[in-house]
Amino acid sequence: MSAQLSIVNPVATPRSHADGDRFPPAPRPGTLDGATVALYWNGKQNGLDALARARELIEDAYEGVTFVEMTGALGGTTRYLSEEQLRFIEEKVDALVGTSADCGSCTSWLIRDLCEVERRGVPAVGYTAEVFDEDARFSAKTFGVPEACPVIVPECFSNKDTAEIHRMVEDSFAEVVECLTKPRAVFDELPEFASMVLESAPELRFDGGDLLEAFDEMQRRFIANGWSDGMPLVPPTRAKVEAMVAASGLDGGHVVGDFAPGFGIGTVEKIAANAVMAGCRPETMPVIMAMMECVLDPSIGLRTWAMSTGPQAPVVLVSGPIADEIGMNRGMCALGPGSISEVNVAIGRALRLIMMNVGLSYPGITDLDTIGTPMKFSACVAENEERTPWEPWRVQQGYALEDSTVTVNVPYGMTEFFDFQNSDPEKLIESWSTLTSQAVGTPSAGAWLIKKDAPLEAGYPFHGTFANLLLMSPDHAAVFAAAGWTPADIREAIHRRTKLPFRQLMLNQSMPAFETSHPELRWLLDAPETPVTVNPSADCFELFVVGAKAGRSQFCFGGTNSVTKPVIRR
């Protein structure tokens, strides 16, 4: 006997394979003699050392070169070119040398800048660490100029001394010259990548001696193709997917949006198929659709944290009647694991699978996490509304009591806030501040010192708005409420307590970026031990009550801005 398992293909088609824009590379000038060359820094550490040596080499090789030094107008640790800067480059610049692409998201953003410059008729190159070669070339394809020029160097410029950076710039100078002055042939076909397997068939079939063997073959193939999160998947059969689609109230072909980083076309059917694989049931589909609206909101910066070398992972917060209706756990072990948190775990897992198979965020090419984190598998909780001593979360966010909402925040990590001792809210704040003042080894901590605020639509991390999220145990919440404290009081108190000396806060930040962003604070250079708030305002702290008894909260630090969307039942 033999059996066949037929499933809905969960992998989205990238926009570049459908009707995505395609632009030719810029014409090359043949020589840099008499040229105006922009030296563009995107804010990454030690990039200015590379540009300084590139300038010297160009000056030695060519006559009459004029240089324009540019720093990305938007962002902090990672910056990108504004429209005004791009217009200046188009009108005044003959060639651009940029740096640095030495992490997952900054590589994509630097390549985005190179593609925008090439589209405007100016040749451009960008120094890119070898480990991010595929990331760079995939990003060039995604942004419509696959012929764009990442100049590959063997190591990241970050954590390297000046001499080593200069050697890498010297060794790659011939390639820089060739890329800027020699014509770039237009690719006849778009490049493909070994780390990303795409499949256009609407359904996939797996054979075996029986259905269990066919199931095993599906798991094996998904692992081989990179479509799995590493754990067994529920087969997204046509019947299961159609039930999920029906629960959304939308047509299966309806496009919810294009999901970064690969601009995968996110139809309801593709979202439903991945949700089935995660173990979700149809009644969870309205929550999943609201979750999609959260991650597609431009302010949350999906491209940045999906591709980052950092361990940012989404935390999903559900508030309102739907949480109980679909069986979510809001008490003991709400974050899992365990059968009592089955619904929570499945919803959180669905987001990861959707990021992978719809957003095309795959390890090794578009997810470049240095170490990784188990939080990426799933992190989803429901509000313990019975034990919330203030207005429910959704009401605090401006929604009605009868509404249900989904919120997504994307922290760098999570650590326990343990305090069984104190019933005085001031002491509880002091205890908590030992975490908030020390969990600062992330790009978000002190980031306000190296960036200027931008509109939310600029996207995380460029707009400078972010939130440290406390998953507050009911017992801790009760201490504050008994003393008459509101969430606003708590935020103000912890913000005032969360300080470090300027020198210490800047240890992992770029000093040139600080001087560029805040010349009015240069006096701190002469007073480096001055205590400075880690965060720009009290709004950088949020409180969500969840869990069972005992004074053990979870502090999620270094997060994006939180995005909240209503659950809509169609």
Side-chain angles (χ1 to χ4, degrees):
M1 286 184 64
S2 62
Q4 186 175 79
L5 176 62
S6 178
I7 66 168
V8 174
N9 176 9
V11 180
T13 300
R15 182 63 67 184
S16 60
H17 285 208
D19 55 356
D21 293 330
R22 176 84 183 272
F23 304 93
R28 266 47 187 174
T31 181
L32 296 181
D33 287 329
T36 297
V37 176
L39 302 173
Y40 167 55
W41 180 49
N42 69 344
K44 287 310 296 291
Q45 285 84 346
N46 303 336
L48 292 177
D49 289 339
L51 292 178
R53 186 59 182 138
R55 175 174 183 154
E56 293 171 349
L57 293 171
I58 294 171
E59 284 179 322
D60 289 343
Y62 295 97
E63 299 289 335
V65 178
T66 300
F67 293 95
V68 178
E69 295 182 352
M70 303 185 71
T71 299
L74 301 172
T77 302
T78 302
R79 293 170 174 262
Y80 68 94
L81 293 167
S82 66
E83 286 299 319
E84 182 179 357
Q85 288 178 309
L86 288 167
R87 284 194 297 271
F88 173 84
I89 292 168
E90 183 175 10
E91 295 170 3
K92 304 293 186 181
V93 170
D94 300 305
L96 179 143
V97 179
T99 194
S100 309
D102 56 8
C103 77
S105 56
C106 70
T107 295
S108 184
W109 282 107
L110 181 64
I111 299 302
R112 173 265 182 195
D113 283 339
L114 300 189
C115 291
E116 290 292 334
V117 170
E118 293 274 356
R119 287 175 56 183
R120 287 161 173 79
V122 178
V125 299
Y127 291 108
T128 303
E130 184 176 14
V131 68
F132 303 112
D133 186 359
E134 274 210 339
D135 176 358
R137 300 187 193 284
F138 176 82
S139 295
K141 172 183 171 181
T142 299
F143 286 115
V145 188
E147 301 83 5
C149 297
V151 172
I152 306 303
V153 295
E155 300 289 343
C156 300
F157 292 157
S158 55
N159 298 116
K160 302 299 186 296
D161 62 31
T162 301
E164 187 172 357
I165 293 168
H166 282 188
R167 282 195 298 273
M168 287 189 275
V169 172
E170 291 158 6
D171 292 344
S172 60
F173 184 63
E175 184 180 356
V176 168
V177 170
E178 181 175 352
C179 287
L180 291 178
T181 62
K182 304 297 182 185
R184 300 287 291 170
V186 175
F187 297 153
D188 292 329
E189 295 182 0
L190 289 173
E192 301 296 336
F193 303 92
S195 301
M196 183 177 294
V197 178
L198 300 176
E199 174 58 68
S200 60
E203 295 194 357
L204 307 175
R205 294 175 174 80
F206 305 92
D207 297 314
D210 56 28
L211 276 176
L212 281 177
E213 285 189 6
F215 171 81
D216 288 342
E217 176 63 13
M218 177 195 125
Q219 307 299 327
R220 186 192 68 78
R221 287 265 301 279
F222 270 59
I223 291 286
N225 291 346
W227 301 340
S228 170
D229 60 1
M231 298 187 291
L233 301 161
V234 177
T237 61
R238 175 59 63 184
K240 285 182 177 292
V241 173
E242 286 182 352
M244 292 291 285
V245 170
S248 76
L250 298 167
D251 184 79
H254 174 77
V255 176
V256 177
D258 289 357
F259 285 72
F263 294 146
I265 301 172
T267 64
V268 173
E269 182 177 271
K270 296 296 185 185
I271 292 165
N274 283 278
V276 168
M277 293 197 302
C280 293
R281 295 190 293 270
E283 58 266 29
T284 66
M285 195 61 174
V287 170
I288 290 165
M289 296 301 291
M291 187 167 64
M292 297 302 95
E293 295 297 329
C294 290
V295 299
L296 287 172
D297 189 294
S299 72
I300 205 168
L302 174 58
R303 164 171 295 279
T304 296
W305 49 269
M307 300 189 76
S308 178
T309 46
Q312 282 184 285
V315 174
V316 181
L317 314 174
V318 179
S319 173
I322 198 168
D324 285 346
E325 292 172 20
I326 64 178
M328 294 189 71
N329 180 10
R330 49 197 165 90
M332 190 174 295
C333 296
L335 271 172
S339 298
I340 60 173
S341 296
E342 173 209 6
V343 177
N344 302 28
V345 171
I347 292 171
R349 188 187 186 197
L351 178 51
R352 174 56 49 185
L353 290 171
I354 291 163
M355 288 176 61
M356 293 173 64
N357 294 320
V358 182
L360 310 178
S361 178
Y362 295 118
I365 181 167
T366 45
D367 178 356
L368 286 303
D369 198 329
T370 300
I371 296 174
T373 171
M375 281 180 64
K376 283 189 170 183
F377 284 105
S378 174
C380 175
V381 295
E383 182 178 22
N384 191 336
E385 193 168 331
E386 288 181 356
R387 297 291 307 279
T388 300
W390 308 290
E391 290 183 319
W393 170 264
R394 62 192 178 280
V395 176
Q396 295 180 44
Q397 307 308 307
Y399 292 90
L401 185 64
E402 62 270 20
D403 290 338
S404 293
T405 61
V406 173
T407 300
V408 176
N409 178 276
V410 191
Y412 274 93
M414 183 184 297
T415 186
E416 183 183 41
F417 166 36
F418 162 77
D419 192 318
F420 282 4
Q421 179 67 36
N422 291 297
S423 57
D424 179 340
E426 292 286 358
K427 293 286 183 65
L428 208 55
I429 287 289
E430 186 174 0
S431 178
W432 181 19
S433 72
T434 63
L435 293 178
T436 60
S437 296
Q438 299 302 325
V440 295
T442 71
S444 298
W448 69 272
L449 290 167
I450 62 167
K451 65 174 67 175
K452 292 182 177 178
D453 282 348
L456 278 175
E457 56 266 26
Y460 173 88
F462 307 106
H463 51 58
T465 301
F466 55 91
N468 299 284
L469 172 68
L470 183 68
L471 300 177
M472 183 178 281
S473 68
D475 283 8
H476 282 164
V479 170
F480 290 114
W485 285 39
T486 67
D489 296 329
I490 299 169
R491 290 194 296 267
E492 287 290 345
I494 194 62
H495 174 62
R496 288 194 303 270
R497 278 276 187 180
T498 305
K499 292 183 178 180
L500 281 176
F502 171 74
R503 175 194 58 80
Q504 191 173 2
L505 192 53
M506 287 296 296
L507 281 174
N508 66 347
Q509 302 288 6
S510 166
M511 197 60 75
F514 164 72
E515 295 184 32
T516 296
S517 299
H518 292 286
E520 78 283 3
L521 296 179
R522 285 180 59 89
W523 62 270
L524 286 167
L525 300 174
D526 298 320
E529 298 305 318
T530 302
V532 175
T533 57
V534 171
N535 304 290
S537 75
D539 292 336
C540 292
F541 291 95
E542 294 179 337
L543 320 167
F544 187 84
V545 179
V546 62
K549 290 184 178 294
R552 312 189 85 131
S553 298
Q554 293 280 357
F555 179 53
C556 305
F557 54 88
T560 60
N561 62 302
S562 293
V563 174
T564 300
K565 300 291 183 180
V567 174
I568 298 173
R569 308 185 206 222
R570 297 177 174 88

